[in-house]
């Protein structure tokens, strides 16, 4: 299926004047029978939905920790950047946990470590002028732990910082988490020899054929990269104020967790697949005041992959993103492609895309990127984006693709509905919209209101989309009406 270009009627062409030559082609019902659109929606249809946000935020309460401090140097940690301090840090965490909780403090200096496993009521506090540098040796992230790798559960190398089934956990402070990924073998696993590929394929087959999770054992002798920070089946999570650099794969990954706050962090990633923050099958998540300079999506909301995602069957919902800066390679706000558990109620507002004072390694391709397919199945219902400002978008302002990776031969029903963009101001893009529905599973309900787009270079692409509306939207100075 190839997307159909909107072609304007003569009447709409006369009304839009220079708009057709300068940028987006406006849809006209008479010339696009496979799609249904209206350009005179009576109001911003998302306002009722945005009223949910204060109620969602009222339920997201960052954990509070006792005012007890456990300095890792008191447990033998050495700040020379060469000595491995894994045992000392784990001893400090265990003591803090036994005492009822508090702060495990990383003081100024550079501390080398392997995997860190958090416990309930413990905040790992990396103070100003302190750096936790993670070992480039994969053996330092064994034994394997239960994790989710690209949406499929398995046992694999431990995430660099990991918590499983814990409550009231945090990683905070104005220090640095340095993954040192480029010093390790991680890049070679996917880039040169392609070692990751066979294991990636095997894990996906295991998930699709229902191999028990206990038998999906990777880690030593295999080549699936670990995540940087993962909270798995946790409640009351806080990640705050840190600078996180050079992760081996996804950076901050709350999975099957609830009541999660990620605030005021900066992420700089170089290697491939190094998303900034990936809430997966998680609910009541607040991501605010963060800066993402990533070699993949800045924020990607997920909920499991294919049959294994359906087996777990937990959606991501009630996700609120506010006041972030995006300078990542793909999406600013992304939903999918691992979305087989479903996604609902994603809200993002007041974010900046490719800002001049935060130049990234790559420009954002899509401020909003939604990925689904009949291989994934399931639903995405309710993605609300407003008050974004931005510049120099590489491709479209919004790309909603229900045929991701060509559908991968899938046959499951898939639904994407209720995508709203309002009060957007974007200068520079290939086009405003690229909407790819399916003839069998149409994209339903895409609404734009009170938006201003300038420097748009080409036409929109719309396929198999119902209920597309515009209200007070201008493109290159001309109102879409």
């Amino acid at each position: 299926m190839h997307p159909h270009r909107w072609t304007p009627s003569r009447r709409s062409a006369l009304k839009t004047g220079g708009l057709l030559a300068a940028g987006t082609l406006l849809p006209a019902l008479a010339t696009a029978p496979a799609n249904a659109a209206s350009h005179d929606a009576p109001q911003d249809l998302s306002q009722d939905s945005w009223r949910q946000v204060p109620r969602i935020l009222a339920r997201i309460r960052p954990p509070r920790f006792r005012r007890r401090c456990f300095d890792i140097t008191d447990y033998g940690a050495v700040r020379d950047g060469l000595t491995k301090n894994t045992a000392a840090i784990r001893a400090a965490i265990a003591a803090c946990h036994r005492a009822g909780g508090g702060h495990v403090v990383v003081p100024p200096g550079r501390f080398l470590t392997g995997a860190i496993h958090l416990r309930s009521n413990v905040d790992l506090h990396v103070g100003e002028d302190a750096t936790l540098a993670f070992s480039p040796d994969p053996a330092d992230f064994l034994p394997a732990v239960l994790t989710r790798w690209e949406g499929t559960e398995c046992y694999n190398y431990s995430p660099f910082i990991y918590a499983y089934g814990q409550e009231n956990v945090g990683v905070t402070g104005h220090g640095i988490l340095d993954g040192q990924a480029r010093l390790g073998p991680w890049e070679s696993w996917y880039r040169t020899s392609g070692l990751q590929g066979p294991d990636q394929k095997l894990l996906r087959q295991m998930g699709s054929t229902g191999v028990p999770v206990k038998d999906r054992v990777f880690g030593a002798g295999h080549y699936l990269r670990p995540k940087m920070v993962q909270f798995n089946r946790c409640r009351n999570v806080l990640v705050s104020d840190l600078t996180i650099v050079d992760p081996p794969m996804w950076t901050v990954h709350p999975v099957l967790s609830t009541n999660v706050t990620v605030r005021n962090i900066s992420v700089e990633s170089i290697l491939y697949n190094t998303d900034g923050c990936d809430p997966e099958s998680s609910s009541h998540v607040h991501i605010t005041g963060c800066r993402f300079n990533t070699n993949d999506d800045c924020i990607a909301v997920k909920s499991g992959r294919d049959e294994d995602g359906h087996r777990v069957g937990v959606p991501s919902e009630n996700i609120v993103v506010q006041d972030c800066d995006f300078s990542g390679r793909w999406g600013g706000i992304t939903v999918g492609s691992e979305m087989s558990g479903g996604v609902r109620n994603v809200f993002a507002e007041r974010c900046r895309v490719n800002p001049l004072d935060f130049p990234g390694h790559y420009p954002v391709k899509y401020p909003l990127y939604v990925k689904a397919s009949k291989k994934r199945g399931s639903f995405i219902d309710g993605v609300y984006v407003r008050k974004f400002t931005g510049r120099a978008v590489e491709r479209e302002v919004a790309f909603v693709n229900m045929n991701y990776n060509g559908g991968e031969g899938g046959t499951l029903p898939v639904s994407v509905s209720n995508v709203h963009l309002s009060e957007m101001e974007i200068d520079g893009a290939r086009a405003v919209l690229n909407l790819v529905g399916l003839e069998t599973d149409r994209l339903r309900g895409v609404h734009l209101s009170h938006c201003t787009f300038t420097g748009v270079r080409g036409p929109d692409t719309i396929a198999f989309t119902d209920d597309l509306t515009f209200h007070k939207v201008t493109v290159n100075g001309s109102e879409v009406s």
Side-chain angles (χ1 to χ4, degrees), residues 32 277 301 321 382 474:
C277 185
V301 181
V321 178
T474 63

Side-chain angles (χ1 to χ4, degrees), residues 249-260:
M249 202 175 163
W250 299 352
T251 307
V252 178
H253 185 208
V255 55
L256 292 161
S257 294
T258 187
N259 189 25
V260 176

Side-chain angles (χ1 to χ4, degrees), residues 237-427:
V237 173
L238 174 63
V239 181
S240 178
D241 300 314
L242 298 156
T243 296
I244 308 176
V245 300
D246 207 7
M249 202 175 163
W250 299 352
T251 307
V252 178
H253 185 208
V255 55
L256 292 161
S257 294
T258 187
N259 189 25
V260 176
T261 300
V262 180
R263 69 186 182 202
N264 301 331
I265 69 168
S266 294
V267 174
E268 182 176 1
S269 66
I270 302 296
L271 301 190
Y272 187 63
N273 286 140
T274 47
D275 298 352
C277 185
D278 296 72
E280 182 171 10
S281 295
S282 293
S283 65
H284 292 88
V285 178
H286 188 201
I287 305 168
T288 181
C290 299
R291 293 157 67 87
F292 298 101
N293 176 8
T294 57
N295 190 359
D296 212 314
D297 298 316
C298 296
I299 295 171
V301 181
K302 302 176 180 290
S303 64
R305 184 184 190 95
D306 303 342
E307 289 83 357
D308 202 57
H310 288 280
R311 176 188 64 83
V312 176
V314 177
S316 274
E317 57 188 341
N318 299 329
I319 314 290
V320 178
V321 178
Q322 296 175 314
D323 303 307
C324 292
D325 289 346
F326 299 141
S327 294
R329 187 170 193 168
W330 286 93
I333 296 293
T334 296
V335 180
S337 71
E338 299 89 349
M339 41 66 69
S340 297
V343 176
R344 65 168 65 90
N345 289 347
V346 176
F347 298 89
E349 64 179 342
R350 301 190 304 269
C351 295
R352 302 191 305 161
V353 178
N354 300 328
L356 285 171
D357 61 354
F358 185 55
H361 300 294
Y362 310 95
V364 171
K365 285 180 171 61
Y366 313 106
L368 174 63
Y369 188 14
V370 178
K371 300 179 280 186
S373 72
K374 291 184 75 64
K375 176 65 172 172
R376 304 284 186 271
S378 198
F379 68 91
I380 297 169
D381 184 5
V383 180
Y384 305 91
V385 178
R386 72 178 181 182
K387 299 180 181 178
F388 275 31
T389 58
R391 53 174 290 280
V393 170
E394 186 174 317
R395 297 182 186 176
E396 293 84 21
V397 174
F399 183 18
V400 182
N401 185 6
M402 296 179 66
N403 195 37
Y404 183 70
N405 277 351
E408 300 175 288
T411 59
L412 296 173
V414 60
S415 171
V416 178
S417 59
N418 298 319
V419 178
H420 295 254
L421 287 78
S422 60
E423 300 176 76
M424 307 280 284
E425 295 184 6
I426 303 294
D427 179 28

Side-chain angles (χ1 to χ4, degrees), residues 205-262:
Q205 288 174 344
M206 288 177 164
S208 292
T209 58
V211 172
V213 175
K214 66 180 179 61
D215 296 327
R216 306 176 197 171
V217 181
F218 291 82
H222 295 273
Y223 303 97
L224 299 180
R225 290 168 291 154
K227 309 298 169 51
M228 182 82 172
V229 181
Q230 185 184 88
F231 301 92
N232 195 323
R233 293 169 168 86
C234 292
R235 293 170 53 90
N236 310 334
V237 173
L238 174 63
V239 181
S240 178
D241 300 314
L242 298 156
T243 296
I244 308 176
V245 300
D246 207 7
M249 202 175 163
W250 299 352
T251 307
V252 178
H253 185 208
V255 55
L256 292 161
S257 294
T258 187
N259 189 25
V260 176
T261 300
V262 180

